Amino acid sequence: MEITSAQARRIALAAQGFGRPAPAQPGQRQVNDLIRRLGVVQIDSVNVVSRTHYLPLFSRLGAYDRGHLESAAWGPGRRVLFEYWGHEASLLPIESQPLLRWRMVRARDGELWTGLARFGRERRDYIDGVLAEIERRGPVTGADFAAGPNAQSSGGKPGWWEWSDGKRALEWLFWSGFITTRTRRGFERVYDITERVLPAAVADAPTPDDAEAQRGLILIAARAMGIATAADLRDYFRLSLQDSRARLAELVEAGALIPVTVRGWSKSAYLHPEARKPRRVEASALLSPFDNLIWFRDRTERLFGVRVRLEIYTPAHKRERGYYVLPFLQDEAITACVDLKANRQVRTLLVQAAWTEPETNADTAARLAGELRRMAQWLELDTVVVVGRGDLAPALKAALEALAAV
């Protein structure tokens, strides 16, 4: 089967939840359903605009209550989401937890980044002691490991629970599945024994073998992307080349994925059998740089013909577009990007730079201005002000002034 690049783009957008009317009042059900559709939402601590895990839902649902996401992930009631290393640090639907147990087992066997793997080998007795203490005393944070176990009760000095080692032990236990996030205080994780956090139905669910679990993850990725190359599918849950290659062949043989050719793509692609194929997609959305649609930069360039830059870790004088740049999705194209900052002290959303992209058109500035106003209202900010550079900045400033005058 051969399809055009424009068709592939529409399939990808529809699979990611774009092109449907946003609900008038998005509630808990819509939040839960969307995260299940996406399969995973990346977590990141940067809070220049809003922490990234809140943004993909706003891009697709509009002005939803962030408390719904917090309730699903960290609330005291029915657990809908859990935290683990899915794409990167991620929120995932609770029912996916068994599909990631093979990764937890491999982490216990040392398949981690080098420093943490070495720590696990050399300090396993220490790690087991930390786990036993969590079992005894209940939920803990990293800050609980800044002093020795008896420091508060007996005036003791920091001992074998020195901060850096304690934090490494918690990370190792988290990777290995022994503990998970019960809740968060601000942005700080509160850890507890996994079986005390997960619903019994999930904790007691049978563990699939590695191959079955990896096939399940690839199918979640394929459904979330609609159409994807092997590299796209592998990246979604950060599978290894060896594992993903074997599982992909099995899924194609079983008819669960359909091999296709996309004109203009140099690599073969795979279509999910249930992927929607809309004739057009209408959307206006500001995309987090960690949004599922664009987090794999090769795929972003292939789909949209734009290069999305993540320059957070680039020295300021070397940044081309800005510190926290959000692309603007206008219907089926990325037509602009803006470097944003929420100045909460003066209740203003600052546009520190605004840039055109190859498919910018006459409506881009006005459409972008409207979306910036909606984002500011959702963030409980009063105004949007263009304060910086970029070839779109003058037109965007004029469009914002026109909106304010209405």
Side-chain angles (χ1 to χ4, degrees), residues 11-25:
I11 290 168
L13 287 168
Q16 281 282 298
F18 293 104
R20 296 183 178 186
Q25 293 183 312

Side-chain angles (χ1 to χ4, degrees), residues 102-103 106-113 117 175:
W102 63 274
R103 181 168 285 169
R106 292 189 186 184
R108 297 170 200 175
D109 293 338
E111 290 193 19
L112 292 160
W113 66 79
W175 260 104

Side-chain angles (χ1 to χ4, degrees), residues 21-37:
Q25 293 183 312
Q28 189 71 62
R29 181 176 62 82
Q30 284 82 12
V31 168
N32 297 349
D33 289 349
L34 178 56
I35 297 180
R36 288 192 176 98
R37 169 193 287 273

Side-chain angles (χ1 to χ4, degrees), residues 38 73 128 140 150-151 163 168 214 251 257 265 288 305 310 333 339 398:
L38 297 175
D128 289 344
V140 300
N150 301 313
W163 163 256
R168 280 194 287 266
Q214 291 159 7
L251 289 167
L257 292 177
W265 291 18
S288 159
L310 182 62
D339 178 22

Side-chain angles (χ1 to χ4, degrees), residues 339 350-355 385-394 397:
D339 178 22
L350 301 176
V351 182
Q352 302 188 116
W355 305 94
V385 179
V386 178
V387 296
R389 61 197 177 106
D391 58 353
L392 188 60
K397 183 177 181 179

Side-chain angles (χ1 to χ4, degrees), residues 71-327:
S71 176
W74 305 300
R78 177 174 171 265
R79 182 61 60 102
V80 176
L81 307 175
F82 78 107
E83 285 190 40
Y84 191 59
W85 292 97
H87 181 72
E88 293 286 335
S90 302
L91 287 168
L92 305 104
I94 197 76
E95 57 268 22
S96 296
Q97 197 270 351
L99 299 180
L100 288 155
R101 291 176 188 166
W102 63 274
R103 181 168 285 169
M104 299 171 189
V105 172
R106 292 189 186 184
R108 297 170 200 175
D109 293 338
E111 290 193 19
L112 292 160
W113 66 79
T114 304
L116 195 58
R118 183 172 60 250
F119 181 81
R121 291 192 303 270
E122 296 175 353
R123 303 296 303 278
R124 187 58 188 269
D125 288 347
Y126 172 86
I127 292 170
D128 289 344
V130 170
L131 180 62
E133 187 64 14
I134 297 171
E135 289 176 337
R136 182 188 70 81
R137 67 188 280 187
V140 300
T141 68
D144 293 320
F145 292 81
N150 301 313
Q152 290 184 338
S153 60
S154 63
K157 295 180 180 180
W160 64 281
W161 275 358
E162 191 270 335
W163 163 256
S164 59
D165 282 354
K167 178 62 175 173
R168 280 194 287 266
L170 291 175
E171 287 297 323
W172 190 94
L173 289 166
F174 181 82
W175 260 104
S176 300
F178 291 109
I179 63 174
T180 191
T181 307
R182 174 173 286 280
T183 188
R184 282 184 180 255
R185 296 173 186 160
F187 195 67
E188 183 181 35
R189 279 181 182 149
V190 179
Y191 298 96
D192 202 356
I193 302 300
T194 298
E195 288 74 19
R196 295 201 295 233
V197 175
L198 298 181
V202 175
D204 297 338
T207 299
D209 63 34
D210 292 12
E212 181 183 354
Q214 291 159 7
R215 286 193 295 270
L217 292 173
I218 289 175
L219 283 176
I220 291 171
R223 185 177 294 110
M225 288 188 282
I227 188 167
T229 67
D232 298 338
L233 293 168
R234 181 170 70 249
D235 176 77
Y236 209 77
F237 287 104
R238 296 295 169 87
L239 301 175
S240 73
L241 178 61
Q242 180 179 359
D243 287 334
S244 62
R245 182 178 289 163
R247 304 295 84 82
L248 191 54
E250 293 160 1
L251 289 167
V252 169
E253 184 177 0
L257 292 177
I258 303 167
V260 296
T261 299
V262 180
R263 290 178 215 161
W265 291 18
S266 60
K267 303 292 184 181
S268 299
Y270 302 88
L271 180 70
H272 192 279
E274 298 173 6
R276 292 176 55 232
K277 305 177 184 65
R279 293 185 177 181
R280 60 183 299 179
V281 172
E282 296 180 0
S284 290
L286 287 159
L287 303 173
S288 159
F290 303 101
D291 191 287
N292 305 45
L293 181 67
I294 59 170
W295 64 24
F296 188 35
R297 307 312 185 198
D298 287 350
R299 177 174 171 84
T300 304
E301 289 193 43
R302 197 184 325 119
L303 280 172
F304 298 104
V306 300
R307 177 171 170 254
V308 174
R309 304 162 177 85
L310 182 62
E311 299 182 287
I312 291 174
Y313 307 109
T314 302
H317 68 280
K318 293 184 177 180
R319 291 179 193 139
E320 297 180 27
R321 293 295 180 94
Y323 178 77
Y324 201 76
V325 176
L326 286 76

